[in-house]
């Protein structure tokens, strides 16, 4: 765990900048409503604050910030040692050491960013998700890096962390954008909860 803390500090960049706020689309019919990805900035290219000299799609950058904030909250949850924490699920990842762990946490961040971007309207190849499907990714028998199956309570907690991470990055709970993101998360509960 000590090792993990160190690596985590090095790897995680908890976002400080705000996401693009949701434009007022109250007057639009559902068919015209921009995708979540578009509302988070879409494919407009901006400088990547974490990789000097590189550009990144604004929508992808928004998701990466939320994902890294979420990973930060999960790490804090695990380190709290509170009962019902998410430690057991992430145990295989925590058992990895040194560069292996750093690489795999970075890879998880990348895969989560791909996953959210791709499934909320990110069209360009940079957002292509090539990881496991949600059922396989969260079944310890098919993904040995998933320590134990997730329960409904685990899922609700995880979803709360994503929501808090979205809040921390400029998506307030009382917005349509937030409600739409939560709806996407809820649509994944069934394949992910396997306990
Ligand atoms: C909003 C709900 C969730 C989404 C969208 C999500 C998404 C993902 C994705 C995209 C991956 C990567 C799969 C791959 O690399 O092939 C993953 C892996 C994983 N997830 Fe989730 N997940 C969610 C909820 C949960 C919950 C509730 C837990 C546990 C309590 C959990 C624990 C894990 C673990 C341990 C891994 C394996 C790490 C790895 O293979 O590197 N996830 N998840």
């Amino acid at each position: 765990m000590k090792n993990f803390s160190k690596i985590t500090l090095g790897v995680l960049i908890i976002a400080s900048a705000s996401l693009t706020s949701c434009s007022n689309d109250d007057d639009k019919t559902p068919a015209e409503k921009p995708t979540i990805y578009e509302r988070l900035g879409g494919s407009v290219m901006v400088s990547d604050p974490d990789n000097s000299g590189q550009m990144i799609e604004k929508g992808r950058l928004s998701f990466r910030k939320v994902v890294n904030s979420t990973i930060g909250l999960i790490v804090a949850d695990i380190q709290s040692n509170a009962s019902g924490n998410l430690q057991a699920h992430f145990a295989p990842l925590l058992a990895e050491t040194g560069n292996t762990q750093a690489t795999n946490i970075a890879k998880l961040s990348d895969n989560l960013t791909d996953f959210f971007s791709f499934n909320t309207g990110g069209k360009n190849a940079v957002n292509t998700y090539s990881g496991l499907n949600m059922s396989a990714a969260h079944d310890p028998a098919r993904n040995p890096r998933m320590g134990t199956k997730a329960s409904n309570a685990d899922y609700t907690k995880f979803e709360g962390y994503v929501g808090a991470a979205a809040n921390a990055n400029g998506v307030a709970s009382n917005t349509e954008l937030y409600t739409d993101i939560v709806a996407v998360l809820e649509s994944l509960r069934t394949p992910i909860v396997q306990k």
Side-chain angles (χ1 to χ4, degrees):
M1 190 69 72
K2 207 169 169 197
N3 212 348
F4 186 62
S5 324
K6 257 194 256 156
I7 296 296
T8 316
L9 279 178
V11 172
L12 297 180
I13 304 115
I14 307 300
S16 53
S18 289
L19 300 179
T20 309
S21 59
C22 175
S23 60
N24 179 4
D25 43 23
D26 290 350
D27 53 345
K28 295 194 172 160
T29 63
E32 294 169 330
K33 191 164 141 179
T35 63
I36 291 173
Y37 192 79
E38 281 164 341
R39 283 179 279 159
L40 287 171
S43 56
V44 172
M45 297 303 284
V46 294
S47 328
D48 184 339
D50 301 331
N51 295 294
S52 143
Q54 291 183 31
M55 303 293 281
I56 183 171
E57 292 191 7
K58 208 169 174 183
R60 181 175 176 84
L61 175 60
S62 299
F63 271 124
R64 195 180 71 197
K65 288 175 178 175
V66 172
V67 163
N68 286 338
S69 291
T70 304
I71 292 175
L73 292 171
I74 290 172
V75 168
D77 173 292
I78 290 167
Q79 290 176 340
S80 76
N81 282 327
S83 82
N85 76 6
L86 300 177
Q87 206 271 340
H89 306 286
F90 289 88
L93 207 59
L94 302 180
E96 293 163 357
T97 52
N99 287 341
T100 313
Q101 188 181 65
T103 305
N104 285 329
I105 291 173
K107 183 80 190 151
L108 178 62
S109 163
D110 224 38
N111 274 356
L112 280 162
T113 303
D114 289 344
F115 182 83
F116 283 124
S117 300
F118 186 71
N119 287 299
T120 60
K123 293 196 182 77
N124 294 326
V126 67
N127 296 320
T128 305
Y129 175 67
S130 51
L132 298 168
N133 67 40
M134 288 303 93
S135 168
H138 299 91
D139 177 0
R142 287 179 284 169
N143 181 12
R145 301 180 73 238
M146 176 80 183
T148 59
K149 291 180 174 181
S151 67
N152 252 316
D154 296 327
Y155 193 88
T156 301
K157 191 183 207 192
F158 189 102
E159 193 179 79
Y161 288 147
V162 180
N167 288 163
N169 288 284
V171 183
S173 298
N174 62 354
T175 58
E176 186 180 6
L177 179 55
Y178 183 90
T179 309
D180 289 351
I181 291 171
V182 170
V184 171
L185 297 177
E186 270 307 314
S187 74
L188 300 167
R189 185 182 285 269
T190 302
I192 292 176
V193 172
Q194 301 179 29
K195 189 156 106 186

